[in-house]
């Protein structure tokens, strides 16, 4: 006789908890999400129909997903989706899994783009499109440009834009600012910022994510240096550059911004109080100090 959904939940939550060091609660949620994914039913169905058997045609695909998870593959890649800033984004291993920390960058960016203004915003290294799409949805009158060096990432980001019905994003393939013309009111980026030999790269989700989305030279700051070094050529007077960085990089990023002539250099903490996003304003000598938004 086939095991019931409730039996499977009990059995596999223990296997997952043991294999991945999850709490019972986290492991139960993951088993329910995997079962729900193969059954194409919400979690509430599993709870309401716990005594239903898991039929053999479904058991095989479920076991395949469970075994991927037992090897440590992130849920977001197995399910092919992740929620970010209230949007459901589709993902593949070609893109970084958007993190809640990055919502700090979105919030900080929104504080510099007043609603009902037409700002030109650039998101460098857009990956799944998480930041660009959140900003474009929150500020529909603004025009967002999103770029990445990875064609696979851009395809995923464009598909997310299409599915979410976001019209005000232009997509660009290139190496940071390469090929981008015009000037922007706001440039944001969550670039790779992990040092090449960081031991965290061998642990958890990071083992499965694309290295070019994570690693940036020996100290993790190579991409940030390049972006800060070139940003002034792409910012309008009074425009802002905002960068997500590692928990221990804020002071170095502030120093880099100041050394390149940025003003009002500051850092925004994430919800855990960790310095997560640093920013500066570009004010060319002799330019008026008002932000260059077009009402
Ligand atoms: C940390 S991920 C951020 C992805 C997404 N913005 C997010 O926050 O979830 C960094 C992104 O930068 C892109 N990237 C790496 N090197 C790049 C380069 N030289 N030029 C443009 N994009 C680059 C990667 O492909 C990756 O999508």
């Amino acid at each position: 006789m086939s095991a019931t959904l409730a039996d499977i939940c009990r059995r596999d939550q223990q296997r997952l908890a043991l294999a991945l060091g999850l709490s019972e609660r986290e492991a139960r949620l993951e088993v329910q999400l995997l079962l729900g994914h193969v059954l194409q039913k919400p979690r509430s169905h599993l709870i309401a129909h716990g005594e239903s058997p898991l039929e053999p045609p479904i058991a095989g695909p479920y076991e395949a997903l469970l075994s991927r998870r037992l090897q440590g593959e992130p849920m977001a890649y197995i399910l092919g989706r992740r929620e970010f800033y209230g949007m459901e984004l589709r993902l593949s291993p070609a893109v970084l899994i958007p993190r809640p920390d990055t919502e700090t960058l979105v919030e900080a960016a929104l504080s510099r783009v007043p609603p009902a203004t037409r700002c030109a915003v650039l998101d460098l290294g857009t990956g799944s499109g998480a930041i660009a799409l959140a900003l474009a949805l929150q500020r529909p009158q603004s025009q967002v440009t999103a770029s990445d060096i990875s064609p696979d990432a851009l395809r995923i980001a464009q598909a997310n834009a299409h599915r979410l019905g976001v019209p005000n994003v232009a997509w660009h393939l290139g190496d940071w600012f390469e090929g981008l013309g015009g000037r922007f009111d706001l440039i944001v980026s969550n670039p790779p910022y992990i040092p090449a030999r960081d031991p965290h790269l061998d642990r958890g989700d990071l083992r499965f994510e694309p290295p070019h989305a994570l690693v940036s030279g020996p100290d993790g700051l190579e991409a940030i240096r390049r972006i800060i070094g070139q940003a002034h050529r792409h910012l309008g007077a009074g425009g802002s550059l905002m960068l997500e960085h590692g928990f221990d990089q804020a002071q170095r990023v502030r120093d880099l911004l100041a050394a390149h002539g940025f003003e009002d250099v500051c850092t925004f903490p994430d919800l855990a109080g960790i310095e997560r996003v640093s920013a500066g304003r570009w004010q060319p000598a002799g330019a008026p100090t008002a932000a260059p938004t077009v009402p």
Side-chain angles (χ1 to χ4, degrees):
M1 204 179 102
S2 307
T4 66
L5 296 176
D7 292 337
I8 287 166
C9 278
R10 267 191 298 276
R11 181 193 71 194
D12 291 343
Q13 86 184 41
Q14 279 174 8
R15 291 172 72 191
L16 269 186
L18 212 60
L20 302 178
L22 303 177
S23 70
E24 290 287 314
R25 197 158 164 247
E26 289 166 330
R28 187 179 331 122
L29 174 65
E30 291 198 357
V31 173
Q32 289 171 341
L33 287 170
L34 294 176
L35 276 171
H37 187 71
V38 287
L39 289 166
Q40 300 194 343
K41 301 274 188 213
R43 280 175 62 221
S44 55
H45 173 92
L46 304 171
I47 296 162
H49 299 86
E51 295 319 308
S52 306
L54 186 68
E55 302 296 351
I58 299 290
Y62 164 71
E63 286 294 340
L65 295 190
L66 180 72
S67 108
R68 286 168 64 187
R69 184 60 186 136
L70 286 166
Q71 311 288 322
E73 188 174 337
M75 286 293 283
Y77 288 155
I78 297 173
L79 301 178
R81 60 173 197 265
R82 171 55 52 96
E83 199 198 297
F84 180 81
Y85 214 76
M87 307 171 292
E88 185 182 288
L89 297 173
R90 298 288 160 83
L91 304 177
S92 85
V95 293
L96 186 98
I97 302 165
R99 308 291 204 268
D101 293 342
T102 300
E103 295 187 348
T104 303
L105 176 55
V106 172
E107 291 284 338
L110 289 173
S111 73
R112 304 250 166 128
V113 183
T117 55
R118 280 190 294 131
C119 285
V121 179
L122 172 63
D123 173 28
L124 290 172
T126 196
S128 62
I131 299 165
L133 293 172
L135 296 177
L137 276 169
Q138 296 297 318
R139 295 292 184 265
Q141 298 190 31
S142 289
Q143 177 60 41
V144 179
T145 301
S147 85
D148 206 289
I149 201 166
S150 156
D152 289 340
L154 272 191
R155 264 190 290 277
I156 287 168
Q158 280 175 293
N160 278 322
H162 183 70
R163 217 173 36 77
L164 293 166
V166 185
N168 50 329
V169 184
W171 305 96
H172 179 87
L173 183 67
D175 181 0
W176 300 129
F177 294 101
E178 181 194 28
L180 285 168
R183 292 201 175 251
F184 296 89
D185 302 304
L186 172 65
I187 299 175
V188 294
S189 183
N190 172 21
Y193 54 70
I194 302 180
R197 289 174 186 274
D198 192 309
H200 293 99
L201 291 166
D202 299 327
R203 298 183 203 149
D205 289 1
L206 299 187
R207 289 168 299 161
F208 295 85
E209 294 183 284
H212 67 270
L214 300 171
V215 178
S216 196
D219 64 355
L221 292 171
E222 223 160 69
I224 287 179
R225 272 190 213 96
R226 278 187 63 195
I227 293 171
I228 292 178
Q230 296 172 26
H232 67 276
R233 289 191 223 120
H234 302 270
L235 279 168
S240 293
L241 172 63
M242 297 188 140
L243 298 165
E244 179 171 325
H245 48 66
F247 71 97
D248 56 354
Q249 294 172 334
Q251 185 61 55
R252 282 175 288 164
V253 176
R254 285 193 297 266
D255 290 347
L256 282 167
L257 285 164
H260 283 81
F262 282 86
E263 297 180 2
D264 301 335
V265 172
C266 63
T267 295
F268 298 79
D270 63 20
L271 287 176
I274 295 167
E275 292 189 313
R276 182 59 64 191
V277 170
S278 292
R281 241 184 245 282
W282 181 248
Q283 199 61 61
T289 50
T293 51
V294 183

